[in-house]
Amino acid sequence: MHDMIGVHYSEIALKGQNRGYFEKSLRQNVRRMLKGEECSIESVHDRILIRLLPGANEKSIGEKLQCVFGISHFYPAFSCGKSIEEIGLKAREIFQQVPKDKTFKVKSSRADKKFPIDSQELNRRLGEIFYNDGYTVDVKKPDVTLHVDIIKDFALVYTEKTACYGGMPVGTSGKVVVLFSGGIDSPVASWYAMKRGCRPVYVHFHAMRSNADAAKSKIGRLVQSLCRYSGRAKLYLVPYDTFQVSCASDYELVVFRRFINRVAEKIAALEGAKVLVTGESIAQVASQTLDNMAAIEEAVKIPIIRPLAGMNKDEIIAKAEEIGTYELSLGDYKDCCSIVSRHPRTKANLEKIKADEEKMNIEKLAEETLAQAEMYIFD
Ligand code: ATP
Ligand code: MG
């Protein structure tokens, strides 16, 4: 049984003066995600060390770490004293599981520069032990790589690394408001924004009987499932029936999109979020032509980020499956009515749209709609 997990970060280590802030955020996020697990967390030499306590569930901890953005990789390890003898003994224990016909190499690194033996020499001396035990060295493509990290108070010995998503710790880039439809695309868009350090505040417009019904629907389930990446998250539920009753335009779909962006912009102001995020992908459907996207964006001042702009539908679906939202997105959704034009216009006429919006008194409608919004918290 391993007694430590070493956690490494890549990109955040490069962030110059802000480095301390990024490290602290990552440590905090790791701590939140591992709440309830039998372990303790500390920082040593550019890495986070997770000490596994008696009864720790290594598999569960590993699965959670894989969802924390900012981690480049982690490795379950054995700790031991820093003498060659102790490291050799520990490594031999590991090698008991390795058949004799396997090739190996030793790869050591010294984070503790005061350690008297340099890495090359350490590799050589440890390599000798296993060579004498009958294993063959292969420095190019070994079957087993024995990693030895010399850190402050002990050495870590391990053979397996697990790659993670990298990116930035959630929260370090600030907040974004995600226009969340419950389809396949917007959960994936949200995931990409989180990967770059954004903390998502979800906004969903619905035509269900109540906000509480919407919270219990697949929308709530999707937000809940994305919490494994973000931790605690807010979801604003906003009924749009007032809009639906008042809307009279040939460009119904574009007017609706402009409308939800207006309301989302107000929520962003309340939340201190700097941008909106949508699941739009260029030319995927009629409402996502460049003309229509430009017309939609014209309604608001806040920038709109579209992480999926350049992705094909099959790529988005593959990602949704990987991050665990695809099945939920396919789930039933009982929206009693919806804004779907039978023949959606692909080329919006802004002048006409603005005239229609004026007749509907769109600004007042947005305020009234905002007043009906309710915020739910998921964890
Ligand atoms: P998705 O799979 O995310 O539903 P889609 O391919 O169905 O996307 P559209 O229905 O055209 O595309 O929606 C485009 C984007 O507009 C969505 O990705 C989402 O960001 C936003 N959006 C659409 N409907 C809603 C809604 N009811 N509430 C909040 N945002 C929405
Ligand atoms: Mg949709």
Side-chain angles (χ1 to χ4, degrees):
M1 180 61 189
H2 297 113
D3 61 335
M4 294 271 174
I5 298 180
V7 176
H8 276 237
Y9 30 94
S10 49
E11 201 173 346
I12 62 169
L14 306 172
K15 295 274 164 185
Q17 291 188 333
N18 285 335
R19 180 174 164 151
Y21 165 66
F22 286 101
E23 287 176 343
K24 189 166 161 234
S25 302
L26 182 63
R27 208 164 45 238
Q28 249 168 20
N29 289 357
V30 167
R31 194 160 273 142
R32 279 194 198 124
M33 292 305 193
L34 297 186
K35 208 170 145 198
E37 297 286 351
E38 295 298 324
C39 61
S40 69
I41 296 159
E42 63 202 283
S43 284
V44 182
H45 293 303
D46 293 352
R47 78 200 71 193
I48 292 171
L49 273 188
I50 298 172
R51 225 176 261 269
L52 300 175
L53 304 174
N57 184 341
E58 190 183 312
K59 183 162 172 278
S60 157
I61 293 176
E63 282 166 2
K64 289 177 183 172
L65 287 175
Q66 273 192 287
C67 296
V68 179
F69 295 123
I71 298 178
S72 67
H73 65 271
F74 66 85
Y75 46 86
F78 298 94
S79 65
C80 63
K82 282 157 79 171
S83 68
I84 293 265
E85 292 71 30
E86 284 166 290
I87 297 169
L89 271 178
K90 202 35 113 181
R92 260 202 163 129
E93 272 174 41
I94 299 176
F95 266 73
Q96 275 174 2
Q97 323 286 330
V98 179
K100 280 271 152 69
D101 60 346
K102 298 286 179 202
T103 59
F104 81 100
K105 81 165 174 185
V106 182
K107 201 172 171 199
S108 36
S109 78
R110 269 184 324 161
D112 172 16
K113 298 293 179 207
K114 291 200 198 100
F115 187 69
I117 309 168
D118 75 14
S119 315
Q120 298 274 333
E121 176 66 9
L122 201 54
N123 289 348
R124 206 187 53 72
R125 287 175 53 185
L126 289 167
E128 224 168 59
I129 300 178
F130 300 102
Y131 179 76
N132 290 338
D133 281 352
Y135 293 97
T136 316
V137 177
D138 180 350
V139 287
K140 291 225 174 80
K141 262 186 106 181
D143 296 318
V144 179
T145 302
L146 179 78
H147 297 270
V148 177
D149 289 4
I150 306 290
I151 56 181
K152 204 167 106 221
D153 299 322
F154 43 80
L156 290 175
V157 187
Y158 56 97
T159 53
E160 303 284 344
K161 289 184 189 186
T162 303
C164 300
Y165 289 113
M168 310 296 291
V170 169
T172 54
S173 295
K175 273 191 205 170
V176 296
V177 163
V178 179
L179 284 119
F180 200 72
S181 65
I184 295 164
D185 304 334
S186 35
V188 177
S190 169
W191 185 88
Y192 276 110
M194 287 191 267
K195 181 155 80 93
R196 298 307 303 159
C198 303
R199 175 161 300 288
V201 174
Y202 299 99
V203 177
H204 174 68
F205 295 83
H206 67 89
M208 299 187 95
R209 253 175 319 194
S210 69
N211 288 330
D213 279 356
K216 276 183 252 143
S217 74
K218 75 166 180 181
I219 302 300
R221 287 194 290 278
L222 272 165
V223 168
Q224 180 80 64
S225 86
L226 287 166
C227 285
R228 89 181 74 134
Y229 302 99
S230 63
R232 216 171 99 102
K234 291 180 181 174
L235 165 65
Y236 282 84
L237 288 162
V238 193
Y240 66 69
D241 34 353
T242 325
F243 171 88
Q244 199 147 25
V245 176
S246 325
C247 184
S249 173
D250 286 350
Y251 294 96
E252 197 180 37
L253 193 63
V254 175
V255 173
F256 175 62
R257 286 289 146 75
R258 283 168 62 90
F259 175 73
I260 64 177
N261 278 291
R262 277 176 212 273
V263 179
E265 184 176 41
K266 293 178 194 300
I267 292 173
L270 290 174
E271 284 287 340
K274 295 181 190 76
V275 302
L276 304 183
V277 168
T278 77
E280 290 162 304
S281 149
I282 299 168
Q284 191 193 80
V285 289
S287 62
Q288 296 171 23
T289 60
L290 289 185
D291 278 302
N292 280 346
M293 282 204 269
I296 292 166
E297 187 145 356
E298 198 270 346
V300 290
K301 285 209 185 71
I302 190 168
I304 301 178
I305 287 181
R306 301 173 174 85
L308 311 187
M311 287 176 77
N312 304 331
K313 194 75 191 190
D314 55 352
E315 292 170 320
I316 299 171
I317 288 174
K319 195 73 198 178
E321 284 176 330
E322 181 191 316
I323 66 172
T325 54
Y326 184 65
E327 291 292 322
L328 289 170
S329 287
L330 293 185
D332 230 19
Y333 185 58
K334 291 194 184 58
D335 215 6
C336 66
C337 31
S338 63
I339 306 281
V340 268
S341 308
R342 269 172 298 276
H343 304 291
R345 304 287 189 99
T346 52
K347 206 165 163 44
N349 176 338
L350 251 189
E351 243 170 75
K352 178 84 174 52
I353 285 171
K354 284 185 171 177
D356 291 346
E357 285 178 347
E358 204 157 316
K359 271 184 241 152
M360 292 163 62
N361 202 348
I362 198 88
E363 188 47 39
K364 184 160 163 269
L365 211 55
E367 285 294 347
E368 284 168 10
T369 299
L370 180 67
Q372 296 172 53
E374 278 177 301
M375 195 259 281
Y376 290 77
I377 290 184
F378 290 79
D379 214 335

